[in-house]
Amino acid sequence: MNILISGGSGFLGSEFSDKIMARYRAQNKALHITWLTRDSSQVHPNDINMMTYDELASSNKSFDVILNLAGAGIADSRWSDTRKEQLLASRMKPTESLLSFIARSSIKPKLLVSGSAIGWYGAQSDKPLTESSSFETDFAHQLCDKWEQLALTAIEYGVPVAIVRTGVVIHPEGGMLGKLLTPFKMGVGGQLGDGKQIMSWISREDWVGAAIFIIEQHLAVKNATNNAGQNNNSTTHDNTLKTANDTPAVVYNLTAPNPVTNHTFTKTLGAWLHRPTFFTLPEFLLKLMFGEMSTLLIDGQKVLPQALLDNGFEFQQPTLKQALENQKS
């Protein structure tokens, strides 16, 4: 199998590459991974192929799966107008390059897995949200929706699309946990606001496992359908997205089945690190420090992985305690 990944060297892409390569080697299956990059001299593992976006524009290679993860971190800095434009461009431009490649490819990919985030649902407090839920309009929703709608145009070329809406990814090497380790280890970690806001999270290990599961399940269904000579236009689950033709498009929430309040997260992280968590950052201070971006910290989302559970995916770390205990502090 040949996989093309945008954002391959990132927090998720690199771990996905390592795990799926190890999996296929153990099964004696051929696997070739190519990372898209803007810098041809970027350091990378020896068993990873590299391709620049300029090379992609003229490439005649074929890929079985494209994994689209490129995009600047939404919580990395305050949301100025300039930063909002950067966040959108960092997602749209790589996706446009991939779509141009798909459009002119004589052998189409069997699947495009395109990144998104649970921010698509907007701030909805403690209301349970599954893949069939509606949204509240805010900047996070608008950003995710524009990215998703662009990726979905791949179906116009007959390429199935899986949208993966990712929650807070838990691992010490990066993401929110990576940023919190230092203050918590220093004993100055604490809850945000009243601590009642819901945090929908997933361990990096389960995120990778879910991404591999989605790819392998889709390819298995596609192969079975092709062998039967039938056209699979629908799914028995409610994560199907409406499309203009019969090409499948689905969405998955990549979150653990047990979301927690910020208070619970704070206490669990403190206990794991054996540090006190007496401090509290009040809501007004968070708004002063982060402006509009503070909604990511103050307003909760209870997003559930219904499609993964319906399709039989088994989480290895379904609770926050398990996710933390499987890491090195």
Side-chain angles (χ1 to χ4, degrees):
M1 180 162 66
N2 293 323
I3 302 179
L4 176 66
I5 308 177
S6 68
S9 63
F11 175 56
L12 296 176
S14 58
E15 186 70 6
F16 170 87
S17 299
D18 287 346
K19 289 298 189 292
I20 196 169
M21 290 192 78
R23 177 180 177 84
Y24 274 59
R25 282 172 181 160
Q27 298 174 357
N28 292 317
K29 293 181 179 178
L31 177 69
H32 304 282
I33 293 180
T34 301
W35 286 355
L36 268 178
T37 180
R38 300 196 181 281
D39 181 6
S40 59
S41 64
Q42 182 182 33
V43 176
H44 61 279
N46 292 332
D47 46 8
I48 298 291
N49 301 313
M50 301 294 281
M51 177 184 289
T52 67
Y53 282 90
D54 289 339
E55 291 170 338
L56 180 69
S58 58
S59 175
N60 60 3
K61 292 184 179 180
S62 63
F63 297 94
D64 298 291
V65 175
I66 295 177
L67 181 57
N68 181 26
L69 300 176
I74 191 171
D76 287 353
S77 63
R78 194 182 181 97
W79 291 348
S80 64
D81 289 343
T82 299
R83 180 59 179 172
K84 287 181 177 181
E85 292 175 0
Q86 292 172 343
L87 290 171
L88 183 60
S90 68
R91 288 158 173 76
M92 301 295 272
K93 289 181 179 179
T95 305
E96 288 168 351
S97 296
L98 291 171
L99 290 169
S100 295
F101 169 75
I102 289 171
R104 62 180 179 75
S105 295
S106 56
I107 301 176
K108 305 297 184 187
K110 298 173 184 176
L111 179 66
L112 168 63
V113 180
S114 196
S116 185
I118 59 173
W120 184 89
Y121 297 101
Q124 300 200 48
S125 188
D126 59 354
K127 176 182 177 181
L129 302 170
T130 68
E131 290 83 358
S132 60
S133 297
S134 60
F135 59 86
E136 293 292 332
T137 301
D138 56 17
F139 171 68
H141 166 76
Q142 293 169 346
L143 176 67
C144 293
D145 193 56
K146 287 178 181 178
W147 194 15
E148 290 186 13
Q149 292 304 315
L150 179 61
L152 286 170
T153 61
I155 64 176
E156 297 175 8
Y157 309 113
V159 176
V161 177
I163 300 292
V164 290
R165 294 174 181 159
T166 298
V168 176
V169 180
I170 298 296
H171 195 277
E173 290 181 3
M176 186 181 80
L177 183 58
K179 295 177 181 178
L180 289 177
L181 282 182
T182 297
F184 268 77
K185 285 181 177 180
M186 294 174 64
V188 294
Q191 74 180 34
L192 305 177
D194 62 13
K196 295 179 181 179
Q197 64 273 38
I198 304 291
M199 188 181 88
S200 298
W201 62 275
I202 186 170
S203 71
R204 188 170 69 167
E205 291 81 357
D206 275 332
W207 187 98
V208 168
I212 294 173
F213 176 84
I214 290 166
I215 290 170
E216 292 184 343
Q217 183 188 63
H218 175 87
L219 296 185
V221 170
K222 186 176 180 66
N223 289 337
T225 300
N226 290 341
N227 291 337
Q230 299 173 346
N231 183 21
N232 182 22
N233 293 334
S234 63
T235 162
T236 59
H237 306 284
D238 61 2
N239 63 322
T240 303
L241 296 175
K242 293 180 180 179
T243 65
N245 58 27
D246 292 332
T247 303
V250 291
V251 60
Y252 293 88
N253 292 334
L254 266 58
T255 57
N258 297 292
V260 297
T261 64
N262 177 258
H263 174 80
T264 297
F265 172 81
T266 300
K267 294 303 179 183
T268 305
L269 180 56
W272 175 58
L273 294 172
H274 307 291
R275 293 292 187 274
T277 53
F278 302 131
F279 292 90
T280 296
L281 275 175
E283 183 174 323
F284 81 88
L285 186 57
L286 290 168
K287 289 181 177 179
L288 184 64
M289 292 169 62
F290 300 107
E292 186 181 358
M293 194 188 78
S294 64
T295 184
L296 299 177
L297 307 173
I298 298 170
D299 299 316
Q301 289 178 306
K302 188 176 183 179
V303 181
L304 304 173
Q306 195 62 53
L308 283 175
L309 295 174
D310 285 349
N311 280 279
F313 178 72
E314 296 183 3
F315 285 84
Q316 300 303 304
Q317 298 163 12
T319 70
L320 182 63
K321 187 175 184 228
Q322 289 172 315
L324 292 175
E325 287 178 347
N326 278 275
Q327 312 302 333
K328 294 180 180 179
S329 59

